[in-house]
Amino acid sequence: MAATVPSRLEVSGITSEPGLNGVYELCPGRFQKRRCQWMKPGSRCYVRHYAARGRWELYVSHHPAGTTFFYKPDGASDLESDVPPLPSSEWLRTEYVEEDETFALKPSDERTAPPPAVAPAPQPFRLWGNKTCPYVQAVLIAAKEKGLDDEALQGARGAPVLEAAEVDVFGDKDARFVALYRTAYAGNRRPTIPLLEHGGVAVVESEVIVHYLDDAFPDAPLRPATPIARARAALLLKVMSEELCPVLHQAMNAATPDAVVRTAGALRAACDAAERQLPAAGPFACGEAFSHVDCLAAPHLQRLTSLVGVFRPEVLAHLRAADMHTFLNTHFPRLAAWTGALLCRPSVAATYHHEAVVAVKRRAVAAWQGEPMVDTRAAARNALTALLQSRHADPVQGTS
């Protein structure tokens, strides 16, 4: 009657190579398609039959001091047996074992405990940016709307809370931020904020990030459900990005009387385009529900109403308005209602830091001259030439 093949073997008592001691598990399949073999989990230690050598072996694969430590030459009863010879007193030592050393080999009912699970290092869930960039703010608004800053809600999702990483846009950028940006965007341009780091990957561009968050965290969806509603939302975003946002930038840098006149006219035209693109029913861009369009547009409308009067009152004077709210309410009621609804939204108000934005804009907005501005290209070239000369480098060549 064939012997029962044990599922586990226990080896003990070895002092010259203690790593051989322990419980060996029966391996699936057969060694060299002939007989069973047992392996100590997580190691290269085996109990096996090696037909070419005609013997059973206690063996370590790729061991620097040899492979076989104990062996049992085949006897008449071993030729067809799937069970290694017991007791172990019949086994012989190799030169890698002390002369008087023995070991014990027996079937075991003990199952080797698996190694303790090592929790994977948590992947960062991080938004690279700052407190004054409108494009970073758009992502923060979306994050608040989806509860990504809520510890309880994220805990229930099994996800970390979104954290912030500051990027100095005026100085040297963090090397990790730059490296992450290069993995996300292959275009030939300098790294810009915002950048989302999530699950070991990086996502850039505010609109792309907002869409990504909406897909990654489908609770409280931001995008409309129907194809036609999404199409209309996309067109409103196009008007905002191609009409109103560029004019806001022009308004902040209108540093001559002629520029003020041009900007005032362009601003009126851009507001008219947004007015006609907005749906009749509100209060938000896609109707009653706050959407991704609101997230992306709110920072720019916030700056339109709060900064133009601070930095370019001449534009308001040309528009014959005391402030931007009055101008919108008088001429563009839909745009005014939409702006008002956005400014009252808690996620929008909580992510706008007016004093910090004003402080940054004072460094970036062109100074009012009353006369044509100096040639900024020539001024920039001269400044860079002076910097390179101070570093003993060749001056920048070129003309203004």
Side-chain angles (χ1 to χ4, degrees):
M1 182 176 179
T4 301
V5 176
S7 60
R8 287 174 291 281
L9 295 173
E10 182 181 354
V11 173
S12 61
I14 300 176
T15 58
S16 58
E17 189 68 28
L20 288 167
N21 297 316
V23 176
Y24 289 62
E25 303 278 353
L26 181 64
C27 300
R30 291 173 176 264
F31 179 60
Q32 296 181 340
K33 299 183 180 181
R34 292 174 179 266
R35 302 197 197 180
C36 298
Q37 66 172 340
W38 292 256
M39 183 185 76
K40 183 179 177 182
S43 75
R44 293 177 174 177
C45 303
Y46 296 88
V47 175
R48 71 179 189 182
H49 185 271
Y50 202 129
R53 296 173 182 161
R55 66 186 189 182
W56 284 90
E57 299 179 335
L58 181 53
Y59 165 88
V60 182
S61 172
H62 301 98
H63 193 277
T67 57
T68 305
F69 286 78
F70 291 88
Y71 68 97
K72 167 64 173 67
D74 285 342
S77 61
D78 300 324
L79 295 179
E80 300 297 333
S81 176
D82 267 332
V83 181
L86 301 172
S88 55
S89 57
E90 300 179 6
W91 290 60
L92 304 177
R93 295 181 293 272
T94 67
E95 65 270 27
Y96 304 111
V97 181
E98 298 293 334
E99 289 186 4
D100 57 349
E101 187 167 359
T102 61
F103 79 105
L105 175 66
K106 64 180 181 179
S108 172
D109 293 328
E110 177 186 348
R111 183 174 294 276
T112 304
V118 178
Q123 295 282 3
F125 185 32
R126 183 180 298 131
L127 182 66
W128 294 78
N130 60 35
K131 292 183 177 180
T132 61
C133 173
Y135 301 99
V136 174
Q137 186 190 355
V139 177
L140 290 173
I141 293 170
K144 280 191 170 294
E145 291 290 333
K146 299 187 76 66
L148 304 184
D149 62 341
D150 186 314
E151 290 188 10
L153 185 55
Q154 285 296 87
R157 291 169 173 162
V161 173
L162 180 65
E163 62 181 71
E166 188 77 12
V167 177
D168 181 5
V169 296
F170 292 105
D172 293 332
K173 292 183 173 67
D174 186 284
R176 176 167 174 76
F177 163 75
V178 173
L180 284 168
Y181 190 93
R182 298 301 184 203
T183 68
Y185 186 77
N188 186 23
R189 72 177 189 189
R190 63 183 180 87
T192 58
I193 53 176
L195 179 148
L196 179 72
E197 188 180 358
H198 184 221
V201 300
V203 186
V204 297
E205 298 294 314
S206 57
E207 185 174 351
V208 177
I209 295 173
V210 169
H211 288 183
Y212 172 85
L213 292 177
D214 207 28
D215 290 333
F217 301 92
D219 298 341
L222 291 170
R223 284 173 291 178
T226 66
I228 186 60
R230 290 196 177 196
R232 288 170 177 161
L235 291 173
L236 179 55
L237 271 179
K238 188 176 181 67
V239 168
M240 291 297 298
S241 62
E242 296 185 2
E243 303 284 342
L244 197 54
C245 293
V247 172
L248 175 59
H249 178 75
Q250 293 170 22
M252 300 300 291
N253 286 281
T256 68
D258 287 343
V260 167
V261 173
R262 290 194 303 271
T263 296
L267 181 58
R268 185 184 294 273
C271 289
D272 181 64
E275 177 81 4
R276 289 183 287 110
Q277 196 68 47
L278 280 163
F284 298 114
C286 297
E288 294 184 0
F290 192 89
S291 73
H292 68 299
V293 179
D294 301 298
C295 297
L296 294 161
H300 303 286
L301 293 173
Q302 212 165 25
R303 284 155 177 77
L304 177 68
T305 56
S306 65
L307 297 183
V308 173
V310 173
F311 290 99
R312 290 296 180 262
E314 301 84 4
V315 172
L316 289 176
H318 193 79
L319 293 171
R320 296 183 174 85
D323 54 55
M324 191 56 65
H325 290 286
T326 301
F327 172 70
L328 296 179
N329 281 314
T330 302
H331 302 284
F332 308 106
R334 286 185 189 174
L335 182 56
W338 182 33
T339 302
L342 293 180
L343 298 188
C344 293
R345 189 78 173 183
S347 61
V348 176
T351 53
Y352 183 53
H353 306 277
H354 178 71
E355 292 183 359
V357 171
V358 169
V360 168
K361 287 296 181 184
R362 290 196 189 282
R363 299 174 64 181
V365 172
W368 173 262
Q369 303 289 335
E371 299 291 338
M373 291 180 65
V374 294
D375 188 327
T376 54
R377 290 176 60 199
R381 178 175 60 80
N382 292 338
L384 183 56
T385 298
L387 176 62
L388 292 175
Q389 287 175 335
S390 70
R391 295 180 177 178
H392 308 289
D394 292 334
V396 175
Q397 301 298 318
T399 61
S400 60

